[in-house]
Every structure is written in structure tokens, then in C-alpha cells.
């Protein structure tokens, strides 16, 4: 197999990939949390939240694949176990089944955390002139910012 030569030095590729691993872990943890809430939501907003959570976890499923593939494109192994994600993620797991309002608040915070992690990775990518990672992360941030806004609007 030939050595990777995409115009980004190995040190920068590894640094960016490590940041993307954290973004992947946050995104996957948020995916699991959203899917869990989709299954377990009850109450007066059941239908609306159930359907919205399904839209969100479906979108996140595609996102985690895109992030993992970018890590691989940088020639670094992508994490893929719960143990790895738990150690890398800044989003805490939720015990029990919160109320619908609490679910919305938790997911809002989760999406905002993904944006913050994305900002860190974006800076690394920009400093290394890694436009492909920067574009991916920027797109992810935009989705999470909009989703957080929509979730916040539900509980006002």
C-alpha cells in the first residue's frame, strides 16, 4: 500500500483525526441518546417529539459515518466501541427516563456541546489548511446549531 500524500503533514493529520475522534464520540453519544429518547418519550408532546427525535437520530446516523470516514481518509483508525466513545465523549450518558421537557433540554445541551467540540476541531483543520475537514465540521456545526435552536424553542 502506498503512503498517504494529501498535502497535510502526518503530525497535523493525527492531531486533526484525534479531534475528529472526539467529535465522532460526541455525535455517536448524542445519536444513542436521541434514539433512546425516541423510544421512551411519553406525555402530551409524544407524537411531535417521537417523530422529531427520529428525524434527528436518522440525520446523526449519516453524520457519524461521514466523520468516521474522514478520520480514515486522514489514515487514522476510527474509534468504534462504546468504551472508546465513552472515554472520548464530552456528552454524559443519561440514567433513567427523563420527562419530555427534560429530554429536550438534554438534547439541546448535547447539540450545543457538539458545536463546541466542532469549533475546536475546526480551528485545527484551518491551521493545517485542511479544507475538507473544515468543510465537514462547519457543515456539522451548522446542523447542530439549528437543531439546538429548534429544541430550545420547544421549551420556551
Amino acid at each position: 500500500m502506498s503512503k498517504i500524500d494529501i498535502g497535510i503533514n502526518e503530525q497535523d493529520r493525527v492531531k486533526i483525526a484525534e479531534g475528529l475522534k472526539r467529535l465522532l464520540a460526541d455525535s455517536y453519544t448524542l445519536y444513542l441518546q436521541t434514539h433512546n429518547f425516541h423510544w421512551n418519550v411519553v406525555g402530551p408532546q409524544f407524537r411531535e417529539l417521537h417523530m422529531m427525535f427520529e428525524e434527528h437520530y436518522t440525520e446523526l446516523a449519516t453524520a457519524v459515518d461521514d466523520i468516521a470516514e474522514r478520520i480514515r481518509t486522514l489514515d487514522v483508525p476510527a474509534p468504534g466501541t462504546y468504551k472508546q466513545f465513552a472515554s472520548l465523549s464530552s456528552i454524559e450518558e443519561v440514567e433513567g427516563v427523563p420527562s419530555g421537557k427534560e429530554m429536550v433540554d438534554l438534547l439541546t445541551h448535547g447539540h450545543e456541546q457538539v458545536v463546541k467540540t466542532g469549533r475546536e476541531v475546526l480551528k485545527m483543520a484551518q491551521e493545517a489548511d485542511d479544507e475538507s475537514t473544515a468543510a465537514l465540521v462547519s457543515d456539522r456545526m451548522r446542523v447542530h446549531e439549528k437543531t439546538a435552536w429548534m429544541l430550545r424553542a420547544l421549551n420556551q
Side-chain angles (χ1 to χ4, degrees), residues 54-119:
E54 183 174 4
E55 291 172 10
H56 292 177
Y57 78 69
T58 301
E59 194 280 331
L60 282 161
T62 301
V64 297
D65 194 54
D66 290 343
I67 297 165
E69 289 179 355
R70 183 62 193 160
I71 294 168
R72 292 301 301 135
T73 301
L74 294 171
D75 202 34
V76 175
T81 66
Y82 293 124
K83 184 177 181 179
Q84 288 173 306
F85 289 149
S87 71
L88 290 166
S89 182
S90 57
I91 297 175
E92 303 221 2
E93 291 189 33
V94 175
E95 298 292 327
V97 179
S99 69
K101 182 181 182 340
E102 290 170 317
M103 288 176 178
V104 169
D105 287 341
L106 288 163
L107 292 176
T108 301
H109 177 73
H111 283 278
E112 291 171 341
Q113 183 55 53
V114 173
V115 172
K116 289 188 262 186
T117 301
R119 285 191 194 290

Side-chain angles (χ1 to χ4, degrees), residues 3-17 20 70-71 73-76 121 124-135:
K3 185 171 168 50
I4 184 172
D5 183 14
I6 59 172
I8 304 169
N9 70 51
E10 182 177 4
Q11 181 180 349
D12 286 341
R13 279 189 299 101
V14 170
K15 180 180 177 183
I16 293 164
L20 285 169
R70 183 62 193 160
I71 294 168
T73 301
L74 294 171
D75 202 34
V76 175
V121 180
M124 289 181 231
Q126 290 170 332
E127 288 170 2
D129 291 325
D130 180 356
E131 185 60 38
S132 297
T133 297

Side-chain angles (χ1 to χ4, degrees), residues 130-142:
D130 180 356
E131 185 60 38
S132 297
T133 297
L136 171 67
V137 173
S138 179
D139 288 347
R140 294 304 320 143
M141 289 170 58
R142 187 175 58 254

Side-chain angles (χ1 to χ4, degrees), residues 25 29 35 46 49 53 57 70 77 86 134 140-142 152:
T29 302
H35 213 151
F46 166 78
L49 293 178
F53 294 163
Y57 78 69
R70 183 62 193 160
R140 294 304 320 143
M141 289 170 58
R142 187 175 58 254
R152 275 193 308 275

